[in-house]
Amino acid sequence: VLASLADACANLPALRAQPSREWMAAFYSAAGARWGAFGAWPLASTAWALGALRKRPPDAWLAGFCGAADAAWREFTPQGIANLAWGLAAARARPDTAWMRRMVRAAGGAVEGFTPQGCANVTWWVAATPGGRGQQGPRMRARACVRVCVCVCV
């Protein structure tokens, strides 16, 4: 239900509207209390919605979100990983370096199923995500981009 609410809110920018701060605070609170109920697709949809809204999530909320994604990596489709990547990049989310590496590994395992747009989404996420907690460096981002970009040539 929460991912459906997020999906609905993702359409607000087309109407030149945004959810209020109070609504976002209530959403973060409700979602954060239910991470165990989120599977791969609701997580990807939630990330996509935050990206569409250009809403950077609070660090504590993002840590819970990333933990839920860790528990669901095997459920993610290539499209789900691409949506997750695009949403996090567009929302300017800053996960920690260790989680970013796990995301890159998940993307690497899904390379053969990516569309060119999916490859672009993941590559943009890697390139656009700043240092974040744990300060990933340019070398790590460059290696990750190369791994992900290989799928464009496949």
Side-chain angles (χ1 to χ4, degrees), residues 40-110:
W41 195 251
L43 288 166
S45 293
T46 299
W48 183 271
L50 291 175
L53 294 168
R54 302 297 194 258
K55 297 288 186 186
R56 183 174 172 194
D59 288 343
W61 187 90
L62 182 61
F65 179 89
C66 290
D70 281 340
W73 283 131
R74 292 181 184 192
E75 298 172 32
F76 275 93
T77 64
Q79 185 64 51
I81 291 171
N83 289 358
L84 181 67
W86 182 89
L88 292 175
R92 300 174 327 277
R94 294 181 176 189
D96 66 42
T97 301
W99 189 84
M100 289 187 71
R101 288 186 177 150
R102 291 190 296 275
M103 171 76 164
V104 168
R105 276 196 297 275

